[in-house]
Amino acid sequence: MTILCVRFQLPPVDEAALPGLLGLLEEFTPVVQALPPDGALADLRGAERYFGRTALELASVIRVRALALHGVDCVIGAGPGPMTARMALREARPGRTRAVAEDEVREFLAGQPVVALPGVGAKTARTLCEYGLDTLGRVAAAPLSTLQRLVGARAGRELHEKAGGVDRGRVVPNAVSRSLAAERPFTRDELDPGRHRRALLSAAEELGARLRALDKVCRGLTLTVRYADRSATTRTRTLPEPTAHSPALTRAAYGLYEALGLQRARVRAVVLRAEGLDPAEQAAHQLTFDPVDEKVRRIEEVADRVRAKFGPHVLMPGTLAA
């Protein structure tokens, strides 16, 4: 168990604490991958040898330091690879690390629903379940040729390997500063898809305004949906072109949301993150002859000038995309 997946229990709209918490992990290992808005992967192979402690012992130290230095509790999953650690995190609870040893991986995976596997979306899960492949144990036992017919050659091969416990992933150190996030928590667990979409609209407009204020564009968008049972689903989409255009961000956010196929989900919060930030002057913009799009862009420019002069809350959310 050399990989930890840590999710810090940050207060709402307190993502600014994440870089400091990543720094805490980097005191143990330089191989830390941020999983915004509130998590990270840490590879402790070198740390176990250096500190003479197991990954589970180091996880306990990390939890105590996060509480003592930052006042933040965390839940931790541990496993021999990133995939297993992320799945173990789903069963973790504050104060106790959910660990899966290398010789327990296949047994652990066998009882998991297919949708629990990172990278398996709602559409793929529905396809597999229609053929009775509703658990990873059944997927691992299915013939490779059957999976490839159902989901495609490459996806079928990867699915078969992962369901059998083969984890080719690795922890890739990255920089959380190359992204911006907007979180919309609900005052109560929200079932209404209309309210979910309005929250996404508000978050997309906030991100667009912040990107334009920084003269930045983003190349991708990540949606995290947090549920009432403290679990979460995260999906990422690469944009057709780098943009800071609020309607384009809104369309991508809606697409990510629709792809989840949520049915009566009790949602506690949605988090939208703009990924891969680049200077706006370096981004190529595809010319458009749509007068409506050009009008919206001109309205955005006026709205940005108003915000810069009178403050960010002068314009009501939703005015630009109405």
Side-chain angles (χ1 to χ4, degrees):
M1 293 170 292
T2 58
I3 307 296
L4 298 184
C5 186
V6 184
R7 186 172 72 237
F8 298 103
Q9 298 186 309
L10 299 177
V13 199
D14 192 20
E15 191 183 343
L18 183 58
L21 292 164
L22 295 178
L24 184 153
L25 294 177
E26 289 169 351
E27 294 177 5
F28 296 87
T29 173
V31 189
V32 175
Q33 178 179 343
L35 300 176
D38 57 3
L41 287 169
D43 188 333
L44 298 182
R45 278 176 289 192
E48 288 179 310
R49 293 191 296 269
Y50 182 82
F51 292 103
R53 294 178 177 230
T54 67
L56 286 178
E57 291 171 333
L58 292 174
S60 298
V61 176
I62 288 169
R63 179 179 290 109
V64 169
R65 289 194 180 183
L67 279 167
L69 300 178
H70 299 271
V72 174
D73 201 354
C74 59
V75 291
I76 302 176
M83 178 190 75
T84 311
R86 294 177 75 156
M87 295 182 68
L89 179 69
R90 295 167 60 94
E91 300 181 1
R93 294 293 180 268
R96 182 177 180 183
T97 299
R98 176 62 170 101
V100 180
E102 190 166 2
D103 58 357
E104 299 172 344
V105 171
R106 290 181 66 89
E107 181 182 355
F108 168 73
L109 293 177
Q112 299 287 330
V114 291
V115 75
L117 190 68
V120 173
K123 182 178 179 180
T124 300
R126 283 196 300 270
T127 299
L128 294 170
C129 289
E130 286 173 358
Y131 289 85
L133 303 175
D134 56 346
T135 67
L136 294 180
R138 291 177 177 174
V139 171
L144 174 59
S145 58
T146 299
L147 296 177
Q148 291 179 321
R149 282 196 301 271
L150 293 176
V151 300
R154 179 178 178 182
R157 183 168 56 254
E158 292 180 354
L159 180 62
H160 193 262
E161 288 183 348
K162 289 180 178 180
V166 178
D167 186 0
R168 302 187 187 279
R170 59 192 183 94
V171 180
V172 181
N174 58 8
V176 72
S177 60
R178 284 179 56 80
S179 61
L180 290 175
E183 180 173 355
R184 293 295 182 269
F186 296 104
T187 55
R188 56 183 176 82
D189 298 334
E190 186 56 66
L191 292 166
D192 185 1
R195 291 183 179 274
H196 300 166
R197 290 172 66 88
R198 284 195 289 275
L200 290 174
L201 169 62
S202 172
E205 289 190 347
E206 178 188 328
L207 286 181
R210 290 168 64 187
L211 286 167
R212 294 190 297 274
L214 295 170
D215 290 323
K216 299 282 188 179
V217 293
C218 68
R219 290 183 280 108
L221 204 63
T222 295
L223 169 65
T224 299
V225 180
R226 297 177 182 168
Y227 305 106
D229 62 358
R230 295 187 178 180
S231 65
T233 302
T234 299
R235 293 291 183 270
T236 298
R237 175 171 296 183
T238 300
L239 300 173
E241 64 176 11
T243 187
H245 189 33
S246 293
L249 297 174
T250 301
R251 286 193 295 271
Y254 285 170
L256 286 165
Y257 175 80
E258 296 297 336
L260 292 177
L262 300 181
Q263 299 292 330
R264 300 289 295 171
R266 298 169 59 203
V267 175
R268 183 159 293 177
V270 294
V271 182
L272 205 58
R273 173 174 290 278
E275 306 277 5
L277 306 191
D278 290 317
E281 65 270 14
Q282 296 180 9
H285 171 57
Q286 184 175 353
L287 294 177
T288 176
F289 296 100
D290 182 357
V292 175
D293 184 70
E294 291 301 323
K295 180 180 178 181
V296 171
R297 290 180 185 272
R298 289 196 296 271
I299 293 174
E300 274 186 343
E301 294 175 1
V302 174
D304 290 342
R305 289 197 293 269
V306 172
R307 288 191 186 95
K309 184 174 182 179
F310 297 105
H313 302 295
V314 172
L315 299 178
M316 293 295 291
T319 55
L320 293 182

